[in-house]
Structure formats: C-alpha cells, structure tokens
C-alpha cells in the first residue's frame, strides 16, 4: 500500500509564507516525478509545480517567482515553499507522484488527500 500524506496547510495573511510537505510511504522502489496540484472552490484542479527525480522543475505561470518546489529523495518527500501568498492562492493543495512498486511492471500515479491553504486577512 502506498500513501502520500500532505501537511503544512493553514491560514495565512496575504504576503505571508507557508511550506507544504508531502511524504510518500509504502513499498516503493523508486519515485519519478513529484508534483503539487491545487483546486480552488468551483475551479478545476491545476498543476502548480513539478520536480523530476533528477532535479528539473517546472511551475505554473501564476506562481513563478513566488513558489519553490524541492525534493528530499532520501526521505521520499517533496516540499512546496510558498511566498508572497495572495488570496487567489487559496485552494486545497494535492501531492501527486509517479512511482514504481515491486508489484507493478511500470510507474503508477498516486494522489494525496490534500491540505487546505487559505490566504486571507
């Protein structure tokens, strides 16, 4: 059984910062891409940032220069440092990973349950 568990969400004022964490656990051989998505009320889920196992990163235009994704591969963990937060960043943030398990011949994708980030004064 593989689990992705997010933490670090909460209420923050505009201009503030938060760091989200996502830990992957279970019988895992390797993890390839790890990503953060978000879903605001009434909107579709969107990709926020991604990081490959080799260290390449990509960001949505709306968060470039404000958010930083990083990984600790030894801990199967991905982080999202969010700075200069805006009310429009309010959403449930989900962790998403492509990983290889011993039971499967190829990578499969998994989702966490999400953590709520609210940006409000």
């Amino acid at each position: 059984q593989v689990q992705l568990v997010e933490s670090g969400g909460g209420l923050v004022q505009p201009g503030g910062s938060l760091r989200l964490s996502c830990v992957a656990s279970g019988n895992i051989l390797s993890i390839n891409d790890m990503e953060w998505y978000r879903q605001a009320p009434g909107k579709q889920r969107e990709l926020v940032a991604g990081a490959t196992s080799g260290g390449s990163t990509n960001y949505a235009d709306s968060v470039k220069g404000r958010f930083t994704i990083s990984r600790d591969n030894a801990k199967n963990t991905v982080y999202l440092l969010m700075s200069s937060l805006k009310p429009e960043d309010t959403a449930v943030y989900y962790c998403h990973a492509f990983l290889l398990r011993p039971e499967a011949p190829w990578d499969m994708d998994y989702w966490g349950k999400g953590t709520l980030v609210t940006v409000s004064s």
Side-chain angles (χ1 to χ4, degrees):
Q1 187 79 1
V2 171
Q3 279 191 313
L4 300 181
V5 179
E6 303 98 334
S7 61
L11 174 64
V12 62
Q13 292 187 342
S17 298
L18 277 178
R19 190 179 80 155
L20 306 183
S21 301
C22 170
V23 180
S25 63
N27 199 8
I28 299 170
L29 288 178
S30 62
I31 303 177
N32 291 316
D33 295 353
M34 298 188 83
E35 301 165 326
W36 287 98
Y37 281 75
R38 69 185 179 186
Q39 188 166 19
K43 295 189 176 181
Q44 289 192 336
R45 193 172 297 189
E46 63 175 354
L47 177 65
V48 176
T52 68
S53 57
S56 298
T57 59
N58 63 281
Y59 297 93
D61 288 343
S62 59
V63 306
K64 280 181 182 176
R66 299 189 298 121
F67 290 11
T68 303
I69 189 171
S70 61
R71 290 175 59 163
D72 184 335
N73 292 328
K75 296 182 179 179
N76 288 347
T77 300
V78 62
Y79 304 98
L80 186 67
L81 176 61
M82 307 184 293
S83 303
S84 302
L85 282 161
K86 305 175 182 180
E88 51 263 43
D89 294 317
T90 295
V92 177
Y93 284 72
Y94 297 91
C95 179
H96 180 240
F98 291 90
L99 55 88
L100 184 64
R101 301 176 61 197
E103 300 85 0
W106 50 72
D107 286 1
M108 297 181 69
D109 70 309
Y110 294 84
W111 290 91
K113 293 183 178 181
T115 184
L116 177 62
V117 172
T118 303
V119 184
S120 175
S121 53

